[in-house]
Every structure is written in structure tokens, then in C-alpha cells.
Amino acid sequence: MPSPRYHREIPARYRLEAGKCSGCGKVLYPERKVCPACRGQEMETVNLSPTGTVVTSTVIHVPPDEFLNEAPYAMAVVETPEGARFMTQVVDCDPSTVLPGMELDLEFRLIRKEGNSGILCYGHKGVPG
Ligand SMILES: [Zn+2]
């Protein structure tokens, strides 16, 4: 079963809503209650641009079961123009070509079906721009 947390986060995920720390200006995605950089608890909600630059990447050859038929695929840490960093799957390209500095568009897509229940999980994936 998908976790309740996942469902609660869907609207924020769809809009790429992030939290910007009022204390130090760090942008966090997904938004968190406490800033890991300065421990500040005041967050302003900001919408991220649906683009990012690859910071680091790795090719997954042995994925978790639900992604088995997608391997190999690339996972990348991307940074948006606002400075938020998060991990995303990169699709529609040869995974070996996903390298730091590559520009990606973040598209909202189906990520996986949850088991036999057929519940669909959506999220952003990186697509070479
Ligand atoms: Zn902070």
C-alpha cells in the first residue's frame, strides 16, 4: 500500500512546491518543517521552475522490483534555478549520457503502479531538454 504520507504530498509534488527558509534562504524540496542548514522553522512556499541541472548521476543496473523492466536507468541529483536539490529518474535517453551539467526538463509522469492494487503513483522525471 502507498504510504499516507505519499498521498498527502501529491498536490505539493504536482506543483513542485518547495519551502524557502526565512532564516538562511535555503530552498528545500519537498518542503520540510525544520531547515537542516540553520534549524530555522519559518518556511515560505515557493514554486520551483520545472527545469534542473544535473549535479551528480548514477546508472541503476539492479533496481527495486517495481522498476525491474526499466533497468538500466539513470538517477540524478538535480538543482533547479531556485537552488533546490533532489533526486529524480532521468528518462528518454541513454543513461550513460546523463552527466553533471546536463540540462533537464522536469515532467510530471507516472512513476509506478503499486502492486496488484493498480494504484498509480505520479511524480516528476527528468527529460533531457
Ligand atoms: Zn535555514
XYZ file of all heavy atoms in Angstrom, residues 20-26 28 34-43, ligand 1:
125
model
N 11.134 27.707 1.270
C 12.330 28.540 1.321
C 12.503 29.011 2.759
O 11.610 29.641 3.332
C 12.186 29.729 0.379
C 13.436 30.586 0.344
C 13.334 31.665 -0.717
C 14.652 32.422 -0.807
N 14.629 33.449 -1.836
N 13.643 28.698 3.341
C 13.906 29.031 4.736
C 14.033 30.554 4.895
O 14.800 31.190 4.181
C 15.181 28.339 5.191
S 15.673 28.799 6.854
N 13.236 31.096 5.834
C 13.307 32.541 6.064
C 14.615 32.923 6.756
O 15.048 34.065 6.681
C 12.134 32.996 6.938
O 10.915 32.614 6.332
N 15.219 31.957 7.420
C 16.456 32.239 8.147
C 17.668 32.354 7.236
O 18.384 33.357 7.254
N 17.895 31.349 6.407
C 19.141 31.334 5.617
C 18.896 31.323 4.118
O 19.830 31.366 3.336
C 20.003 30.137 6.021
S 19.307 28.540 5.552
N 17.621 31.233 3.696
C 17.330 31.308 2.262
C 17.460 29.994 1.525
O 17.287 29.938 0.313
N 17.777 28.926 2.234
C 17.922 27.632 1.575
C 16.569 27.151 1.060
O 15.559 27.298 1.741
C 18.497 26.623 2.575
C 19.017 25.360 1.939
C 19.777 24.525 2.972
C 20.220 23.185 2.396
N 21.169 23.318 1.276
N 14.207 24.081 0.001
C 14.097 22.656 0.306
C 12.927 22.031 -0.419
O 11.814 22.535 -0.355
C 13.894 22.479 1.820
C 14.964 23.116 2.696
C 14.457 23.285 4.112
C 16.222 22.270 2.680
N 11.647 21.824 9.452
C 12.834 22.418 10.054
C 13.951 22.451 9.014
O 14.206 21.465 8.329
C 13.299 21.589 11.286
C 14.552 22.200 11.903
C 12.173 21.503 12.321
N 14.595 23.602 8.887
C 15.694 23.740 7.932
C 16.905 22.950 8.426
O 17.356 23.155 9.548
C 16.049 25.219 7.795
S 17.541 25.475 6.808
N 17.432 22.032 7.583
C 18.588 21.243 8.027
C 19.862 22.081 8.117
O 20.820 21.678 8.763
C 18.723 20.163 6.947
C 18.023 20.706 5.758
C 16.964 21.655 6.252
N 19.873 23.245 7.477
C 21.082 24.076 7.482
C 21.164 24.946 8.725
O 22.214 25.047 9.355
C 21.125 24.939 6.225
N 20.048 25.596 9.101
C 20.126 26.539 10.219
C 19.120 26.235 11.323
O 19.025 26.967 12.293
C 19.934 27.980 9.715
S 18.212 28.349 9.284
N 18.360 25.143 11.173
C 17.356 24.755 12.169
C 16.183 25.730 12.243
O 15.375 25.675 13.166
C 17.966 24.594 13.577
C 19.035 23.523 13.643
C 18.417 22.163 13.943
N 19.100 21.099 13.196
C 18.544 19.943 12.853
N 17.290 19.713 13.132
N 19.208 19.028 12.208
N 16.107 26.649 11.304
C 15.000 27.598 11.274
C 13.693 26.880 11.003
O 13.672 25.851 10.338
N 12.602 27.412 11.525
C 11.310 26.753 11.337
C 10.328 27.601 10.556
O 9.156 27.272 10.453
C 10.717 26.377 12.698
C 11.540 25.296 13.380
C 10.949 24.831 14.695
O 9.747 24.884 14.894
N 11.806 24.394 15.600
N 10.786 28.710 10.015
C 9.892 29.533 9.206
C 10.179 29.293 7.749
O 11.275 29.545 7.258
C 10.076 31.013 9.553
C 9.122 31.445 10.645
C 9.148 32.961 10.845
O 9.001 33.691 9.848
O 9.341 33.361 11.995
N 9.164 28.779 7.037
C 9.323 28.465 5.624
C 8.315 29.258 4.802
O 7.151 29.371 5.173
C 9.077 26.974 5.381
C 10.083 26.074 6.049
S 11.628 25.967 5.146
C 12.596 25.056 6.376
Zn 17.775 27.838 7.104
